[in-house]
Amino acid sequence: MAGDIVIGGGGSIAVATSELFDDARRLDELRSALSECQRQLVSIDRLVRAPQLATLPLPSSAIAAERAMDDAAAAIASATPVAERLQRALIASANAYGFGEQLAERVSREAAARFGALFGMFLPVIALQLLPLALGIGIGLGIGLGIGTGAGLALLSAGQRASLLRELPGWLRRNSSVLSDPGFVQFVRLTVMSADDFGGGLLRLPPELVHAIGDEGLGLVGLATSSSVVVGLARTGGALVESPVTVTRFGDTVRSSRASSFSDRAARVPTGAAQVRIDRYSQPGEADRFEVYIGGTRDFSPTSGPEPWDMTSNLNSMAGQDSGSYRAVTQAMAVAGVTASTPVIFTGYSQGGLVAAGLAASGEFDTRGLYTLGAPAAQVAVPAGIPWVAIEHTDDVVPALGGSWASADPVLVRRELFDGRPVSTDVMFPAHQLAGYRETASLVDRSREQRLVDALSRFDSFASGTTRVDSTLYLASRGQAMQSDAATADPARRAAE
């Protein structure tokens, strides 16, 4: 497995690899062990030197043992502060790196924001020369990626749009190396964060005013505002239009076991036709508890079809507006028996992670934990009291579409999936594939970094005392209710799940 995980957030400025935190923990354990050895040696030495033993004839071996104990005590006394200093130095380096990373991120965001405002202000002057090229690039890179997709496609005819959608998957696969470069991913993140500044410049607002009310200031405008504009523009062309959704159980409810790790939870995220899995935890004398697992985007078309996990839901969710996938999950939860007072943990991948974060942030549920993988959810203001573990690949462009982490502070686990390995061209966005995130989740399970240990402990305590787990899949669709149970109507779908 390429690349060690890097851990940050969770109320600490320390950012470092799991290996560094593990070394710091082992040094702390060594210091404690040395201190205990020294305590025991001192205790034994006091017994040997007791007044009643002073007059006894002692063999040379006893004298040698006494000297050896003195030498050991001296060595331990010398080693203990060394171990403590090394442990403190490692933590200090993690704190220094975290502080430097935060500073560099802030400087980059501010620079991107200033550039975005200036570019917006001078765009009318250079529009005739650059707009066609910028639009073409925006469409090519934007489809399936977020901001810019709906607005760009809305300007195309139906035939042009269909042609672009046919050609785009192959183009994305051929250029996966560029799209999966961590530098490009960071560029996308900064571009997303400066979209509101670009809009302010386009409106000829003073840059200082735009900066003051934007993400880095009062937060009155930001990613959600920019996404709302995109959604509004796209709807004028018939794209990104929301519609009613219906939800049905997908097959029979089956007996399962409680989730016991981060990789276990990642493995339960649905990947077939059904988009939601809900596990009911039953406990004697207690109300039922639930874990909700939400899958990723199924349809990348900007026009609404039967699939609610589409670009329409993606963009509306990022805009903070009503989305089909969000409504589908709440309907599935209602069918399962989840109420406002029911304890629940949310796990979501990609768009499912964005929906999961929105559910946790809504305040409408008794959320006890949140776990997201590759989700563009950095701007979702999840309450600090909810334990949140977020996994991102630094070569995955999808999480970058959620902007920078400014609205929440989860335990953030990052990893470059293709560090030192060739990037696959078999799929679009190879670093975003759920298989890769499941691989990273197994590395998280092996880490003994304290923030991850504490988070998993809170997740595990959620199901303490569970005697039965019932698992049910749910299938959502836009439009009219389906006439029969989905698994009965299409057994192949159930098998694919």
Side-chain angles (χ1 to χ4, degrees):
M1 296 181 184
D4 190 14
I5 59 174
V6 176
I7 305 163
S12 171
I13 65 170
V15 177
T17 64
S18 177
E19 182 178 2
L20 183 146
F21 286 120
D22 286 346
D23 287 343
R25 175 183 54 82
R26 284 191 285 266
L27 282 169
D28 188 54
E29 291 174 350
L30 175 61
R31 179 196 58 77
S32 298
L34 289 172
S35 297
E36 176 60 19
C37 287
Q38 187 174 38
R39 187 192 66 78
Q40 293 182 15
L41 282 174
V42 170
S43 178
I44 294 171
D45 196 40
R46 286 174 179 169
L47 290 175
V48 172
R49 294 182 177 180
Q52 58 269 35
L53 298 179
T55 58
L56 296 178
L58 299 176
S60 59
S61 59
I63 296 175
E66 174 69 17
R67 290 175 179 171
M69 283 194 297
D70 290 341
D71 291 341
I76 290 174
S78 175
T80 300
V82 173
E84 184 175 2
R85 286 197 298 271
L86 286 174
Q87 190 262 349
R88 289 180 177 176
L90 288 178
I91 296 300
S93 68
N95 288 333
Y97 180 83
F99 178 78
E101 186 179 66
Q102 289 180 3
L103 180 60
E105 177 75 15
R106 186 176 183 87
V107 170
S108 298
R109 290 202 306 266
E110 290 187 354
R114 304 287 181 173
F115 175 80
L118 290 174
F119 183 68
M121 185 172 293
F122 289 102
L123 180 62
V125 180
I126 58 177
L128 293 178
Q129 288 76 26
L130 295 183
L131 186 56
L133 176 61
L135 179 60
I137 295 175
I139 293 173
L141 297 180
I143 181 67
L145 290 180
I147 293 181
T149 302
L153 291 175
L155 300 177
L156 300 178
S157 68
Q160 291 173 321
R161 191 181 308 155
S163 176
L164 178 61
L165 293 177
R166 283 195 304 269
E167 298 296 328
L168 195 57
W171 185 90
L172 290 172
R173 287 193 295 271
R174 291 191 299 271
N175 292 274
S176 59
S177 295
V178 175
L179 300 177
S180 299
D181 183 88
F184 174 78
V185 171
Q186 180 65 5
F187 168 78
V188 170
R189 192 184 300 274
L190 294 175
T191 300
V192 166
M193 292 300 294
S194 61
D196 57 322
D197 300 277
F198 169 79
L202 197 61
L203 295 174
R204 298 303 181 95
L205 297 177
E208 293 302 326
L209 173 61
V210 176
H211 183 74
I213 64 177
D215 300 293
E216 300 297 329
L218 299 176
L220 299 180
V221 296
L223 178 58
T225 307
S226 305
S227 299
S228 297
V229 173
V230 170
V231 169
L233 290 173
R235 285 177 179 171
T236 63
L240 304 183
V241 179
E242 272 297 345
S243 63
V245 296
T246 56
V247 175
T248 59
R249 290 187 177 90
F250 189 80
D252 299 326
T253 296
V254 298
R255 292 289 293 272
S256 185
S257 59
R258 76 180 198 178
S260 59
S261 65
F262 291 117
S263 57
D264 190 1
R265 288 179 170 86
R268 299 184 185 213
V269 173
T271 57
Q275 308 98 334
V276 182
R277 169 177 171 166
I278 299 181
D279 288 356
R280 178 194 295 266
Y281 291 168
S282 300
Q283 303 168 326
E286 298 287 341
D288 289 342
R289 297 177 170 227
F290 296 83
E291 289 216 33
V292 178
Y293 303 91
I294 312 169
T297 302
R298 304 293 207 272
D299 182 3
F300 291 92
S301 172
T303 55
S304 298
E307 174 59 67
W309 266 251
D310 56 5
M311 289 307 299
T312 297
S313 288
N314 263 329
L315 269 295
N316 279 284
S317 292
M318 294 179 70
Q321 299 179 17
D322 174 67
S323 72
S325 55
Y326 185 98
R327 282 182 282 114
V329 176
T330 60
Q331 289 180 31
M333 292 168 63
V335 172
V338 180
T339 67
S341 60
T342 304
V344 60
I345 286 179
F346 295 106
T347 294
Y349 157 68
S350 190
Q351 179 180 164
L354 178 59
V355 172
L359 290 165
S362 69
E364 298 176 1
F365 303 98
D366 183 11
T367 305
R368 301 296 181 87
L370 174 62
Y371 176 38
T372 58
L373 305 102
Q379 293 290 301
V380 182
V382 176
I386 296 175
W388 181 4
V389 174
I391 300 180
E392 290 186 355
H393 291 154
T394 58
D395 43 0
D396 178 9
V397 73
V398 174
L401 295 168
S404 301
W405 290 95
S407 300
D409 185 29
V411 179
L412 180 60
V413 180
R414 292 171 295 171
R415 176 190 178 211
E416 185 179 347
L417 184 64
F418 291 102
D419 182 21
R421 297 188 297 179
V423 178
S424 171
T425 57
D426 296 333
V427 295
M428 296 185 296
F429 314 118
H432 185 62
Q433 299 303 301
L434 182 56
Y437 276 101
R438 287 172 172 170
E439 179 184 293
T440 302
S442 66
L443 296 178
V444 174
D445 285 334
R446 291 202 290 272
S447 173
R448 302 308 301 162
E449 200 277 332
Q450 196 59 48
R451 285 169 288 186
L452 291 175
V453 171
D454 291 343
L456 183 58
S457 176
R458 294 181 67 176
F459 276 60
D460 284 346
S461 64
F462 174 81
S464 178
T466 296
T467 56
R468 174 172 176 151
V469 179
D470 293 310
S471 179
T472 307
L473 293 171
Y474 294 87
L475 177 65
S477 177
R478 292 189 185 275
Q480 298 299 316
M482 289 170 282
Q483 299 300 314
S484 60
D485 179 83
T488 301
D490 188 355
R493 287 185 175 180
R494 184 178 176 185
E497 192 67 25

